[in-house]
Amino acid sequence: MPVKVRIPTPLQKLTSNKDEVEVIAGNIKELIVELEKSFPGMKDRLCDETGKVRRFVNVYLNEEDIRFLSQEETAVKDGDQVSIIPAIAGG
Amino acid sequence: MSYMLGLKCRECDREYPKEALYVCEYCFGSLEVSYDYKALAKKVTRKTIEAGPKSLWRYRDLLPIDGEPAAGYYSGFTPLVKADILGKELGVKELYVKDDSVCHPTCSFKDRVVAVALSRARELKFDTVACASTGNLANAVAAHAAWAGFKRFIFIPANLEIAKIVGTLVYSPNLIAVDGNYDDVNRLCAEIAAKYRWGFVNINIRAYYAEGSKTLGFEIAEQLGWKAPAHIVAPAASGSLVTKIWKSLKEFDKLGLLEGELRTKVHLAQAEGCSPIATAFLGNHDAIKPVKPSTIAKSLAIGNPADGYYAIDVLKQSGGTAGIVSDDEIREGIKLLARTEGIFTETAGGVTVAVAKKLIDEGKIPSDESIVLAITGNGMKTQEAIREAVGKPIHIAPSLSSFEAEVLKAGCKL
Ligand SMILES: Cc1ncc(COP(=O)(O)O)c(C=O)c1O
Ligand SMILES: [Zn+2]
C-alpha cells in the first residue's frame, strides 16, 4: 500500500532532494521504519531516543495532525498523504 | 557594528550561519540568534541606550541585524502607564500597564517583531515577505512591508475579525484567506515557504522576528528606572513573547544594566478555548497537547504552539505560573481596563487582565509587589467580541425634553 510522504527541506538531503517519496506501510510507526530503510538516518532525525516522534516534529495524515488521531499508531492506507513539518512560530 | 554571531539550535546547540534558516537540520529544534555578549558588555550601557532613538531601535545592539534598520523607525517605546485605579480595583499596590495598544503603526506588539524581521529580510536580500497570521501579524507585515517596499503575501484563517481583514487589505498586500484554523494556515505556509524564496517572517526568518519581542521587556525595565518588576503577566499564542520577555530581562541582567537582582516572575495568560501551554504547565504534563481553538481571543488561537515548551521553561525558571480564563472573563477584562485606565485593548489584552485578576485573587501574585501587565493589542480591532457586552447608547429625539426623559428612564442621574 503506497503512501505518499512529503519530505521537509531539512530532510531532503537524505532523499537526494526529493520532496515527496512513496513508502509501503500500515501505520505511522511502520512508515518511519520504512523511511529509515530507504533513507538511512531518517529515524534519528524524526524520533527521539525512546523512538517517539520528536516534540518539534509535526506529522500530518491528510492534513490532520496525528496527535488528534492515534499518534504513532495512526493507520495509513493506499493513497494517503503524510506530511512531516517542523513546528513553526506564530502570530 | 553587529554583535550577532550566528544561529544556534535551542535543543542540541548545533551552530548555523546567520541566514534564512529556521530549524535544526538534525533534530528539528528551532534556531535562536546568538550574540557576542562579551563585546556587548563593553559597549552597551544605560547611557548609550538612553541616547538612542525613541523607538525599539534604541536596543539595536541587542537585535539581530548587521546594518541599518529598514523598518519600524517609529515602532515600540510605548507608554508604561502607572495603573493606580485598576490597581486599587484589583487590590494591589504597584501596578503598571505596558501599553502596546498604541504601538506604531498597527497598534499591537507585532510591530516590534515585524520591524526586526523586515530589517533582517532586507539584509538577506528578499524582495517578497510573507506570514501566516492570527491577525495582528498580518496588519503589521502588510503595513511595514508597504513602507519598506517589499512585495507581500499574507495568509490568514478565513474567519478573522473584520477589522483585522480590512486593516490588512488597506495596505494592498496579497491577502490569502484559508479555509481552516491558524494551525492549518501554518502547515500550508510551511509547504509554501519550502517552495518559494520568500522571507516568511514566522518561518524562515523566525529566529530574527522573535528577537523583536525582547524590546517589550527591555522597555519595561528601562521605563521602571532600570529595574525589573516583581511580576509580568503576558498573553501567549505560540509562546514566543513570553519566552523573549524573560530573555530580555536576562540579557539586561547579564550586561549589568539592572538595578538589583533579577527576580521577576513571568506569568502566562491563555483563553479557555485555547490553552495548550497553560494546561500543560498547570497539569504538570510532559507533553503539550495540541487543541482545536474555540475562543473570542482569536489573536491567541494557536492550538499547536511552537514555543510552548520554552514558555513553560520560562515559567519554571522564573517561578511564575499560568492562568486560564473564559470568554466572559475576557470581556470583563477588556471592560475593566477601559473603565479604570481608559485603555481599550483587544481580546488578548482582556485575557491578560482577567488572568492577572485571577492570580491576584488566588494569592499567586502578592498584593504588595510590583506588577506589569503586557497589553499587546488594540480593542478597535476586535469590536465584535464585546459588542453585545458594552450596552447601547441612550437613543433620543433632538429635543431637551426627550433628552431629559430618556436619560432619566435609563437611570442616569442629572
Ligand atoms: C495581541 C497579541 N498578543 C499576544 C500574542 C501572542 O504572541 P506569541 O505568539 O508570541 O505567544 C499575539 C500573537 O498573535 C497577539 O496578536
Ligand atoms: Zn538541533
Side-chain angles (χ1 to χ4, degrees), chain B residues 42-378:
Chain B
K42 282 193 204 125
K43 154 88 197 293
V44 179
T45 64
R46 293 180 188 174
K47 273 220 177 70
T48 60
I49 291 173
E50 282 162 355
K54 288 207 165 17
S55 75
L56 59 86
W57 290 115
R58 67 205 276 108
Y59 309 106
R60 181 194 153 165
D61 290 336
L62 289 151
L63 293 172
I65 57 169
D66 285 325
E68 292 302 311
Y73 285 15
Y74 309 97
S75 302
F77 216 66
T78 56
L80 182 74
V81 177
K82 182 103 197 301
D84 289 337
I85 307 172
L86 178 59
K88 204 162 155 209
E89 184 116 2
L90 296 179
V92 295
K93 241 176 52 195
E94 195 184 350
L95 182 70
Y96 303 86
V97 167
K98 178 59 176 164
D99 189 8
D100 263 18
S101 76
V102 293
C103 205
H104 183 87
T106 65
C107 302
S108 90
F109 92 101
K110 294 293 180 185
D111 287 317
R112 301 174 181 278
V113 281
V114 173
V116 176
L118 296 201
S119 295
R120 188 63 188 149
R122 171 94 355 117
E123 294 182 343
L124 294 171
K125 308 235 167 355
F126 288 104
D127 65 358
T128 303
V129 293
C131 71
S133 174
T134 57
N136 284 312
L137 185 62
N139 296 169
V141 170
H144 287 268
W147 189 79
F150 286 98
K151 282 184 263 175
R152 41 211 183 272
F153 279 86
I154 291 167
F155 298 82
I156 53 170
N159 76 343
L160 271 196
E161 295 96 341
I162 186 74
K164 285 185 178 156
I165 295 174
V166 174
T168 302
L169 285 173
V170 72
Y171 305 103
S172 302
N174 301 291
L175 180 64
I176 325 294
V178 180
D179 287 326
N181 61 30
Y182 176 78
D183 299 292
D184 298 321
V185 180
N186 229 357
R187 186 187 51 71
L188 168 67
C189 286
E191 302 204 36
I192 294 174
K195 186 150 179 196
Y196 298 90
R197 203 192 169 272
W198 296 345
F200 251 100
V201 307
N202 60 316
I203 304 178
N204 56 352
I205 44 181
R206 159 187 176 178
Y208 310 101
Y209 149 95
E211 288 285 290
S213 286
K214 290 192 307 192
T215 61
L216 187 102
F218 291 151
E219 286 174 22
I220 290 174
E222 182 182 349
Q223 289 168 318
L224 283 173
W226 302 101
K227 272 204 290 271
H231 303 271
I232 297 178
V233 185
S238 70
S240 176
L241 172 65
V242 163
T243 311
K244 295 295 176 172
I245 287 177
W246 179 236
K247 182 177 182 189
S248 71
L249 297 178
K250 283 203 307 192
E251 283 185 342
F252 264 18
D253 190 42
K254 191 164 8 186
L255 297 175
L257 298 173
L258 292 181
E259 201 81 57
E261 255 178 83
L262 173 60
R263 278 201 299 253
T264 308
K265 293 184 160 77
V266 180
H267 308 282
L268 178 147
Q270 289 200 302
E272 208 168 75
C274 183
S275 63
I277 308 175
T279 300
F281 174 80
L282 294 170
N284 223 344
H285 305 154
D286 282 339
I288 295 176
K289 201 165 177 295
V291 301
K292 309 257 182 196
S294 164
T295 166
I296 58 166
K298 292 183 185 174
S299 54
L300 302 181
I302 297 184
N304 186 7
D307 284 318
Y309 291 106
Y310 302 117
I312 288 176
D313 288 345
V314 165
L315 305 186
K316 289 185 178 155
Q317 276 179 33
S318 75
T321 185
I324 300 171
V325 288
S326 69
D327 283 355
D328 279 339
E329 289 172 300
I330 296 168
R331 291 191 191 92
E332 285 309 310
I334 293 174
K335 287 165 64 183
L336 177 61
L337 182 64
R339 174 163 59 76
T340 54
E341 296 299 330
I343 294 168
F344 183 16
T345 185
E346 71 146 84
T347 45
V351 171
T352 304
V353 174
V355 164
K357 179 170 165 21
K358 185 165 274 186
L359 297 180
I360 291 164
D361 289 348
E362 290 171 354
K364 291 185 179 146
I365 297 181
S367 61
D368 58 347
E369 296 181 0
S370 56
I371 308 164
V372 175
L373 308 185
I375 296 302
T376 49
N378 192 301

Side-chain angles (χ1 to χ4, degrees), chain A residues 9-28:
Chain A
T9 324
L11 292 184
Q12 288 172 13
K13 283 189 189 148
L14 297 177
T15 59
S16 341
N17 294 321
K18 271 192 281 197
D19 62 3
E20 190 168 284
V21 302
E22 290 200 346
V23 296
I24 296 181
N27 64 26
I28 297 291

Side-chain angles (χ1 to χ4, degrees), chain A residues 6 8-11 13 44-46 54-58 60 63-65 67-68 83-91, chain B residues 11 22-23 25-28 110 133-134 137 182 186-187 190-191 194 202-203 206 209 238 290-292 304 306 309-310:
Chain A
R6 298 190 58 81
T9 324
L11 292 184
K13 283 189 189 148
D44 247 14
R45 304 294 181 82
L46 295 176
R54 287 181 191 276
R55 57 187 193 164
F56 292 103
V57 178
N58 298 323
Y60 297 86
E63 254 95 287
E64 183 69 302
D65 193 321
R67 285 170 295 187
F68 289 115
S83 308
I84 301 168
I85 292 179
I88 50 182
Chain B
E11 292 291 296
Y22 68 110
V23 333
E25 252 173 43
Y26 193 77
C27 78
F28 279 75
K110 294 293 180 185
S133 174
T134 57
L137 185 62
Y182 176 78
N186 229 357
R187 186 187 51 71
E191 302 204 36
N202 60 316
I203 304 178
R206 159 187 176 178
Y209 149 95
S238 70
V291 301
K292 309 257 182 196
N304 186 7
Y309 291 106
Y310 302 117

